[in-house]
Amino acid sequence: MRALTPAEVLFDGEVPPAMLPACDHYAGSEKLMLKSLALQQQLGPVFDITLDCEDGAQVGREAEHAELVASLLGSEHDHFGRVGVRIHDFDHPHWRDDVRLILRAAKRVPAYITLPKIRNVPDAAEMVAFIEATRRELGITQPVPVQLLVETHGALTRVFDLAALPGVEALSFGLMDFVSAHDGAIPDTAMRSPGQFDHPLVRRAKLEISAACHAHGKVPSHNVSTEVRDMSVVASDAARARNEFGYTRMWSIHPAQIEAIVAAFAPRDEEIVTATEILLAAQSAQWGPTRYHDTLHDRASYRYYWSVLRRAQSTGRTVPQDAAPLFTKVGANGQVAS
């Protein structure tokens, strides 16, 4: 009997939960877009870049900005295919044109399209359906994943329904707009640390988004850190988002934040070694119960340790060579497949 991989046996035939790069870096101007793309080439695909058509476009020049974004997708600057776009919101007259212009002109389909200021499920569903219809009309073979930005009262009240929408791969929390939507009832200290983690209404919003994502196998993406000088603050924000609130991804608004965020979301070396040893022992036991350092393990803990190794890969950490059998399977013809 050949050795079965974790992806084959730990999810009862279902697709494992989505895993995206830990950092989502936003860039609005051409200068910042090119700088971000150059940094991605240097660091590798451990972070995504979102080219921003919403806040990045000047009023009246939305089409020109969308064309700029399209020209960078699949260009010599886009080395990994991990570049997405944020379009205008549902109430803006240009959001459909954003979709048409970008999908028609880009040499490579965006890795995802982010929809801002979602207010309710019907609006989000209509935008997702339009993106799907447009890509079919243009002969694009694969669906374009969609990420939703939760920053309004309406979106938060229906966050589980939003996470359940087909085509949606992630929900992001828009902290600034969410706090502002309370018309001064939440102090401005909740827009930054440590207040953003302490105010009850903001904590509730973060937890609801994270819980909804995990319930539906989607990726919860944490809001930005407004600190751009002291990277220890950014690292602390990322660690709290990950360890206390269950987020697996976080926004960046300054290039200096990227490495701090990726490092905070990456598993430690000892975690990677432990996960590898436990999973290899489980694989040898055909995924039955095992014992590791006097602790019993079964498929529930195996799923956890598999997520550690997947997270290590997505953050660019080195996975032991011994772990190779966990990521490959041998077909009936003897060929190795990922």
Side-chain angles (χ1 to χ4, degrees):
M1 180 181 295
R2 71 173 177 86
L4 297 173
T5 66
E8 293 178 280
V9 299
L10 298 183
F11 300 95
D12 298 322
E14 298 181 359
V15 177
M19 181 75 69
L20 295 176
C23 181
D24 179 7
H25 179 65
Y26 272 69
S29 69
E30 182 175 11
K31 177 182 176 181
L32 294 177
M33 291 177 189
L34 291 172
K35 184 175 181 180
S36 302
L37 288 164
L39 185 59
Q40 191 184 57
Q41 182 180 1
Q42 174 187 338
L43 298 178
V46 295
F47 72 97
D48 283 344
I49 299 170
T50 299
L51 306 181
D52 191 5
C53 288
E54 186 194 23
D55 293 338
Q58 296 179 9
V59 176
R61 302 182 69 178
E62 290 88 355
E64 182 180 338
H65 194 81
E67 290 167 356
L68 166 65
V69 166
S71 72
L72 293 174
L73 292 165
S75 70
E76 68 274 17
H77 306 286
D78 178 9
H79 291 265
F80 303 107
R82 291 308 312 173
V83 181
V85 300
R86 177 167 71 172
I87 63 173
H88 286 86
D89 67 271
F90 184 80
D91 291 330
H92 195 283
H94 206 271
W95 76 263
R96 291 179 178 84
D97 290 334
D98 286 343
V99 175
R100 293 191 193 98
L101 282 167
I102 291 168
L103 293 186
R104 182 181 294 117
K107 293 180 181 178
R108 175 186 277 160
V109 177
Y112 52 88
I113 295 178
T114 297
L115 312 182
K117 296 182 176 64
I118 295 299
R119 291 178 172 81
N120 54 61
V121 176
D123 288 358
E126 181 176 337
M127 295 181 84
V128 172
F130 182 81
I131 292 169
E132 174 66 7
T134 302
R135 73 95 180 166
R136 288 178 177 271
E137 177 188 338
L138 296 174
I140 297 171
T141 56
Q142 295 297 321
V144 182
V146 173
Q147 302 184 10
L148 306 181
L149 186 48
V150 177
E151 49 193 339
T152 68
H153 296 297
L156 185 63
T157 60
R158 299 295 299 277
V159 69
F160 279 80
D161 294 329
L162 291 172
L165 282 175
V168 171
E169 70 173 1
L171 301 183
S172 296
F173 181 42
L175 173 65
M176 306 297 190
D177 283 280
F178 180 77
V179 171
S180 296
H182 285 77
D183 295 321
I186 299 177
D188 66 347
T189 53
M191 294 186 181
R192 53 189 181 272
S193 294
Q196 66 160 312
F197 295 106
D198 297 335
H199 194 282
L201 288 176
V202 178
R203 287 179 61 90
R204 167 180 168 266
K206 290 177 189 279
L207 291 169
E208 286 287 300
I209 293 167
S210 178
C213 285
H214 290 299
H216 292 285
K218 309 301 173 67
V219 174
S221 185
H222 195 260
N223 57 270
V224 300
S225 174
T226 57
E227 177 59 52
V228 295
R229 291 182 182 273
D230 186 350
M231 289 304 107
S232 67
V233 174
V234 177
S236 175
D237 287 351
R240 293 195 69 180
R242 164 70 192 168
N243 297 329
E244 298 178 34
F245 293 83
Y247 282 79
T248 58
R249 182 169 163 97
M250 180 172 165
W251 290 14
S252 159
I253 54 171
H254 191 282
Q257 296 179 335
I258 295 171
E259 291 189 76
I261 292 170
V262 173
F265 277 87
R268 300 185 307 275
D269 289 342
E270 56 269 28
E271 290 181 280
I272 297 171
V273 170
T274 297
T276 299
E277 292 176 351
I278 289 173
L279 290 174
L280 286 174
Q283 191 178 55
S284 296
Q286 293 298 321
W287 303 102
T290 59
R291 190 170 81 173
Y292 179 79
H293 291 179
D294 295 325
T295 301
L296 294 176
H297 293 278
D298 58 17
R299 293 192 181 192
S301 57
Y302 298 156
R303 283 192 292 271
Y304 170 81
Y305 290 109
W306 178 232
S307 74
V308 171
L309 293 190
R310 293 179 71 211
R311 188 156 48 96
Q313 279 200 328
S314 71
T315 52
R317 298 301 299 272
T318 300
V319 176
Q321 290 185 344
D322 292 348
L326 299 169
F327 291 92
T328 58
K329 61 183 179 181
V330 180
N333 60 0
Q335 296 295 311
V336 175
S338 297

